[in-house]
Amino acid sequence: MEGIFLTDVTLAKKTGNEQLKNKMASISREFSYEDTAYHLPVSYALTGIAVHDRSTASDVFTKTGSNPLVAAECLLAETTAAEGKEPAPYTGFISDTVIRKLGYSLVDGSILGLALLVGTPKSAESAAAICRELQEKYMLTFLSGGVIPSLSSAGVKLGLDYRLIPLGSKPLHSVHFVDIVARVAMMFGGVSPGDTHRLLTYAAERAKAIVIVFPGLSDEEIAFVDGMRVLGFPILSLGEYESGDWTPATPSDVVRTGMDIKGIRVTVTAIPIPMACSPAFEGKSIRKEEMQVEFGGGRSPAFELLRMRNPGEIEDGKVTVIGPEIGSMKEGAAYPLGIVIEVSGKTMKKDYEPVLERRIHNFINYGEGSWHVAQRDLIWVRISKEAFSKGVKIEHLGKLLASKFRMDFPQLLDAVAVTLITDQDTVVAGKKEAEKIYEERDARIKGMHDNDVDTYYSCTLCQTFAPNHVCVITPERPALCGAISWLDGKIAYEISPSGANQPVEKGALVNAQNGEFEGVNRFVKKASHGEIERCSLYSVMEFPMTCCGCFEAIALMLPEVNGIMVVNREYKGMTPSGMTFSTLAGTIGGGAQTPGFAGISKNYILSDRFLQGEGGIERLVWMPAQLKEELKPRLVPLLAAKGHPDLFEKIADENSAATIEDLTSFLARVGHPALAMKPLM
């Protein structure tokens, strides 16, 4: 029946389940996925059993009542082991590292939900329209089966950068959509492997996911898709599949219908410019051969600056261009650019300027044909040839920025005006003035210490997925995701007093060395729903802060060498602990408090408060070489200022110490100070 419409879904499910069951018996080799701590994630989440061979697969299949999701996962894993991953553009299994990088986007509002498109659409244009609507409504979309070549034929750009992820050529590759939800539950939600009830509850209540089905599914594919209903995913049929359990829809209303069923709310106001605008485009890149023109990036002078003005001094929505427009610029050349944004509002404060200014980066990248990196006077902006061909001008960047600032900060800003400068002399003069303002800002916040304030700030954004996790942000300890500083938290609270960033009064000191305060303990206990009694801000050993899963790095003790190791999520190799980052991360996420382990931001390594409870930076014995090189320009002078000018070279990496035995020998040979410090245990 493959390739035609099926009108009896119930019969197809029965037939398909039997076919999947028979295929399970044909599994003949061992199989596993790389870059994950969760084995075959669906099977592992449902049963707690690590599946890697036919015998275990059969056991799990039986234990789960011949679950079609388990069957599809095992069959696909064996096929991948035998034949390798499908070539580009297909992604196949998506690593834990990628999911953790998405973690913050899943909770900060730039991704509101997940969608799966499976099957073969009647019309490539209608499928493209559905995908565009999902992008514009802040949905992260996964694709499997014939919809992928259909979209490619319609010129739709696919990939994680565009939030349209082509999993595989067959509908059964949709199991990678399900395994992502399973891993999110275990990574961020504190769901223990094998706790089926909690997994299903979590998926139904917290995973805002919908499934859109095109025609042409076989019996076993129908059975597999229908199996997703147990996770609370609504199945929306565009292929004339008739079932009381599937919701019929048309291409024009399927996205709205699915989002309504799952309670996903989004208000999107179109910006009147000739390119689409959505967070879906934020991760894209514009390569040199794709660009019409560029600005800054060391090739020409460029800067950006946001200034507060008094009410009445600026005209809301006014966009001014000083200098030539793109149409008079040479293709492929670099030109100067100044971006000056003036804002006013009754509740706007001067301290908010740098925080709002950093949003320029996000907003320009929301444009489908515009690209922005860096900040201040280091910015680099490109406009694509495709956008230029559609009529995009410098002026439209101004309209994009003015609109997004008003949309995203309606309670704060009453007026936004944007000036874009492409005249060389005016940019150079404006850049000098901007640099003076940057220096004034830095002087206001430079050297701020935890002891200088009585109030810290919380972040509970990640409670969307990790219900008991509470991040406490101090001037010297950024949020573990690296995205929010103390000043960001302070301003976020002032802008939105009922939001995720709340003031945390320090209260009486309990332990100065570990950074434990009565007020922080009270707040954390309440915000974690009574799960966490105590929290030390500067210790990895005693009552460390909880972890959600989107941390930039992990610090953990290595008692064999009396030191602390740090591994960042980009590092995929084995560490001296005998575990990869993925394995380590799988043990500490979901709002858990795990003595000996702490999720941290990279910048926290440079803080004077870094693991103060265990003796600070002198305990640091191992980091991946890439992370060492990234931090070197700031870490070397910091260590010298602390009286350890040679410590940087004494910190091992994977090249000098791959195992704990290697590390022991290396540290002894170089005379690392951790060996002479007080024992960790």
Side-chain angles (χ1 to χ4, degrees), residues 440-652:
E440 292 171 3
R441 290 175 180 172
D442 291 343
R444 289 203 304 268
I445 62 174
K446 187 177 181 180
M448 182 178 286
H449 299 290
D450 287 2
N451 291 339
D452 297 333
V453 301
D454 295 322
T455 304
Y456 299 149
Y457 287 89
S458 70
C459 182
T460 54
L461 273 175
C462 290
Q463 286 196 351
T464 304
F465 290 103
N468 299 322
H469 170 61
V470 184
C471 201
V472 179
I473 306 166
T474 81
E476 296 182 84
R477 178 167 184 170
L480 54 82
C481 65
I484 305 175
S485 69
W486 178 85
L487 184 59
D488 294 330
K490 178 178 184 293
I491 292 172
Y493 169 69
E494 293 178 5
I495 293 173
S496 179
S498 60
N501 302 112
Q502 293 293 308
V504 181
E505 297 298 327
K506 290 162 62 174
L509 181 66
V510 176
N511 186 317
Q513 184 72 10
N514 290 349
E516 186 178 2
F517 302 89
E518 287 185 357
V520 172
N521 284 341
R522 281 195 298 271
F523 183 94
V524 169
K525 182 175 181 179
K526 181 178 179 180
S528 68
H529 312 102
E531 291 295 319
I532 307 299
E533 297 275 348
R534 300 171 66 180
C535 176
S536 297
L537 302 178
Y538 313 141
S539 176
V540 68
M541 297 292 294
E542 297 186 33
F543 312 110
M545 190 155 44
T546 59
C547 300
C548 59
C550 52
F551 33 75
E552 288 189 304
I554 299 170
L556 64 146
M557 66 170 183
L558 295 175
E560 299 93 335
V561 294
N562 205 37
I564 299 291
M565 178 191 91
V566 172
V567 56
N568 56 312
R569 67 184 173 203
E570 292 83 5
Y571 180 67
K572 296 183 178 181
M574 188 64 67
T575 71
S577 69
M579 293 180 279
T580 62
F581 176 89
S582 290
T583 302
L584 289 166
T587 67
I588 66 172
Q593 186 178 62
T594 313
F597 300 80
I600 62 172
S601 68
K602 294 177 184 178
N603 278 335
Y604 181 50
I605 300 169
L606 304 168
S607 168
D608 287 341
R609 300 292 185 177
F610 173 65
L611 303 183
Q612 176 181 290
E614 285 69 50
I617 196 74
E618 290 86 352
R619 287 278 190 188
L620 185 57
V621 297
W622 192 93
M623 282 194 298
Q626 177 270 330
L627 181 58
K628 276 188 72 176
E629 194 62 27
E630 179 182 334
L631 298 179
K632 184 176 181 179
R634 292 176 290 168
L635 185 55
V636 168
L638 182 148
L639 293 173
K642 288 178 174 291
H644 300 286
D646 59 348
L647 182 54
F648 183 82
E649 299 302 330
K650 294 181 178 182
I651 300 171

Side-chain angles (χ1 to χ4, degrees), residues 77-88:
E78 193 218 15
T79 300
T80 302
E83 302 175 4
K85 295 181 70 170
E86 290 189 310

Side-chain angles (χ1 to χ4, degrees), residues 7-160:
T7 57
D8 189 342
V9 171
T10 301
L11 176 61
K13 284 189 297 181
K14 291 179 180 179
T15 306
N17 272 326
E18 196 61 34
Q19 292 173 347
L20 287 168
K21 184 175 182 180
N22 293 336
K23 285 187 176 182
M24 281 287 292
S26 68
I27 291 175
S28 60
R29 64 166 58 227
E30 294 187 357
F31 43 82
S32 64
Y33 288 121
E34 297 179 355
D35 301 325
T36 182
Y38 299 97
H39 312 285
L40 298 194
V42 178
S43 302
Y44 190 54
L46 287 171
T47 66
I49 298 172
V51 176
H52 295 288
D53 54 42
R54 174 181 177 176
S55 175
T56 314
S58 297
D59 185 35
V60 168
F61 187 58
T62 300
K63 286 180 182 293
T64 58
S66 301
N67 189 298
L69 301 180
V70 170
E73 180 178 57
C74 294
L75 291 167
L76 188 56
E78 193 218 15
T79 300
T80 302
E83 302 175 4
K85 295 181 70 170
E86 290 189 310
Y90 305 116
T91 64
F93 183 84
I94 295 174
S95 72
D96 291 356
T97 299
V98 172
I99 295 173
R100 291 185 187 281
K101 285 181 179 178
L102 287 170
Y104 189 70
S105 297
L106 290 168
V107 298
D108 73 348
S110 60
I111 294 176
L112 295 182
L114 310 176
L116 170 67
L117 273 59
V118 54
T120 304
K122 293 181 180 178
S123 162
E125 288 70 26
S126 66
I130 290 171
C131 288
R132 176 54 58 90
E133 184 177 357
L134 288 164
Q135 288 174 317
E136 292 177 344
K137 291 187 175 178
Y138 298 10
M139 297 288 282
L140 179 62
T141 303
F142 298 83
L143 313 163
S144 67
V147 65
I148 297 170
S150 290
L151 291 171
S152 295
S153 71
V156 177
K157 294 179 179 178
L158 305 178
L160 184 59

